Amino acid sequence: MDFEAFFATKLDGLREEGRYRVFAELERRAGAFPAAGRHAGGRIDDITVWCSNDYLGMGQHPKVLAAMHEAIDRYGAGAGGTRNISGTSHAHVMLERELADLHGKEAALLFTSGYVSNWASLSTLGAQIPGCVIFSDAGNHASMIEGIRHSRAERRIFRHNDAADLDRQLSEFGPERPKIVAFESVYSMDGDIAPIADILDVADRHGAMTYLDEVHAVGMYGPRGGGIAEREGLMDRVTLIEGTLGKAFGAVGGYVAGSAALVDFIRSFASGFIFTTALPPHVAAGALASVRHLKESDAERMAHRDRVRKVRARLEAIGIPMIANSSHIVPVMVGDAAKCKWISDLLLDEHGVYVQPINYPTVPKKTERLRITPTPAHTDADIDRLAAALSSLWTRCALARKVA
């Protein structure tokens, strides 16, 4: 087999479909987010980032930066290996305690990313619990899907956010079968929010364990940033809550929080935890500072909601089609992979606006979009420039506008 020709042919196919991913070479600028520098053609151009998951700008917060500087001077650069081999840093212990408290749980466990925490936890639970059946929302993230597949447990897919369909499928299994219901709170592509209470009611009726991914909600919702489940007073009813440190908390890493026995079970059996080098202690220290700050401060969340409302209002006024939702995510619908990529390129090249195109397989074909994520740091002038650029390109690309 000519492997090089095979690789080239497959890549050419992605380019022809408009799905080839190009990574913009950017420099985040400390203290200036969402401003950044773009490296292209031997130059560095000023751009504004509109698609970061650093939703609250905590990656630039003085408390977070100070904690990381202090920790790197104290601990050095790396963790030295796995927590089993090299020992658990005090920074890891303190962060896990803070995360358990954030979610009202007995314990928490850190992973190197949100992807790994989902993959490792779901694969471990599905593989280790005899006869387990995992019920997965049709909109779940790839990390959850891969974890469930890797577990080799029997799996069932229920219709997205459909508690009735979940109830129907759970009813096919008797009380003797162990069951896990895995779903998210905020779905990142459409920005819709799960009917958590309804799903928990169904799961409780069937004696199922619940696994809730709150990665796009932690830091963002609830009086202390505990997520949608905290906002709705439901954290105590969820068996295991999974979250990330890489979005609203502005750092990197993932975690799960639950009962002491459940968390210890995952710690003891999850290969994705046992055999992976731990997060650097200075990263844990920065995340700890961020979590603590957002437990006490609502200012960032309030400012963020104001910016989201303003962006939606400006785009609606000029007829840019969006998916309506009650979250912080603003999906601008294009519906064509090539045009979505083209608009993204023109926004960056001609207007200094960075918004990555979202194409298949991340979203279904013909639902290609620009996923806009406002932050508290975006100014009125930034919003005006974004709206003007989109309006100009919508006309240029002959795309339909939404009539009020």
Side-chain angles (χ1 to χ4, degrees):
M1 180 177 185
D2 186 340
F3 291 105
E4 292 298 312
F6 171 77
F7 300 146
T9 299
K10 297 295 285 186
L11 291 171
D12 286 343
L14 289 178
R15 292 186 183 96
E16 290 171 7
E17 294 176 29
R19 296 196 294 118
Y20 180 74
R21 298 171 191 263
V22 177
F23 295 161
E25 185 179 348
L26 307 181
E27 283 184 10
R28 283 163 58 97
R29 294 171 178 165
F33 181 78
R38 179 204 182 195
H39 289 255
R43 309 182 334 183
I44 302 177
D45 296 321
D46 294 333
I47 60 126
T48 303
V49 177
W50 274 101
C51 55
S52 174
N53 285 339
D54 187 359
Y55 294 132
L56 300 177
M58 291 301 294
Q60 309 280 313
H61 197 281
K63 288 183 181 178
V64 175
L65 301 184
M68 294 184 78
H69 280 297
E70 193 275 335
I72 202 167
D73 288 339
R74 176 188 294 183
Y75 303 123
T82 67
R83 289 169 68 175
N84 179 54
I85 296 296
S86 298
T88 287
S89 167
H90 180 63
H92 296 143
V93 174
M94 295 300 292
L95 178 53
E96 285 174 340
R97 288 176 183 170
E98 204 72 31
L99 292 167
D101 175 77
L102 175 66
H103 294 291
K105 299 298 185 183
E106 293 177 340
L109 185 67
L110 286 172
F111 292 85
T112 51
S113 73
Y115 191 105
V116 173
S117 57
N118 266 334
W119 180 90
S121 298
L122 284 167
S123 64
T124 298
L125 291 169
Q128 292 290 332
I129 299 173
C132 184
V133 185
I134 302 180
F135 297 80
S136 177
D137 186 287
N140 277 345
H141 188 264
S143 57
M144 302 174 76
I145 295 168
E146 288 299 324
I148 294 167
R149 284 176 177 165
H150 186 75
S151 76
R152 297 187 179 180
E154 183 175 354
R155 62 186 184 272
R156 301 290 294 268
I157 311 301
F158 63 94
R159 287 194 296 268
H160 179 52
N161 283 345
D162 191 332
D165 187 51
L166 173 63
D167 187 40
R168 179 187 63 78
Q169 295 200 40
L170 282 165
S171 298
E172 297 176 17
F173 297 85
E176 74 284 352
R177 288 293 296 274
K179 296 175 274 291
I180 299 173
V181 176
F183 63 110
E184 301 181 39
S185 59
V186 177
Y187 288 86
S188 64
M189 289 300 114
D190 287 354
D192 54 333
I193 294 176
I196 298 177
D198 294 342
I199 291 174
L200 294 177
D201 288 345
V202 170
D204 289 347
R205 283 201 298 273
H206 294 276
M209 173 181 167
T210 49
Y211 182 105
L212 177 63
D213 175 319
E214 287 257 42
V215 296
H216 291 278
V218 290
M220 304 293 294
Y221 302 92
R224 299 196 308 159
I228 299 295
E230 184 194 26
R231 185 187 73 178
E232 299 181 3
L234 298 169
M235 288 194 302
D236 62 314
R237 295 183 57 195
V238 181
T239 314
L240 194 67
I241 294 175
E242 186 267 347
T244 186
L245 305 169
K247 294 181 171 58
F249 292 127
V252 67
Y255 65 89
V256 292
S259 71
L262 174 54
V263 170
D264 195 20
F265 179 85
I266 294 170
R267 181 191 70 88
S268 300
F269 288 97
S271 62
F273 172 81
I274 296 168
F275 299 107
T276 300
T277 298
L279 287 175
H282 68 277
V283 171
L288 176 61
S290 183
V291 173
R292 283 177 171 170
H293 176 78
L294 289 174
K295 280 182 176 180
E296 301 294 331
S297 173
D298 212 29
E300 291 80 8
R301 287 186 282 272
M302 292 300 101
H304 179 266
R305 288 166 198 170
D306 173 75
R307 298 292 84 186
V308 172
R309 283 192 294 269
K310 183 145 194 172
V311 168
R312 284 196 174 118
R314 291 285 281 114
L315 298 187
E316 186 175 9
I318 58 175
I320 301 297
M322 298 171 286
I323 295 178
N325 62 55
S326 58
S327 76
H328 57 283
I329 294 165
V330 183
V332 169
M333 303 306 291
V334 179
D336 179 277
K339 286 187 176 181
C340 194
K341 176 69 168 61
W342 188 46
I343 290 173
S344 173
D345 290 343
L346 292 174
L347 282 170
L348 188 57
D349 293 338
E350 298 182 5
H351 300 275
V353 169
Y354 176 59
V355 187
Q356 270 288 72
I358 306 295
N359 292 332
Y360 177 84
T362 307
V363 295
K365 291 180 179 180
K366 304 302 180 184
T367 70
E368 293 82 5
R369 68 200 63 183
L370 303 171
R371 179 181 176 273
I372 295 172
T373 54
T375 75
H378 284 99
T379 65
D380 287 351
D382 291 331
I383 296 172
D384 289 342
R385 284 194 295 272
L386 172 69
L390 283 173
S391 183
S392 171
L393 291 175
W394 232 251
T395 299
R396 189 168 163 185
C397 294
L399 290 168
R401 297 188 187 240
K402 186 176 181 180
V403 180

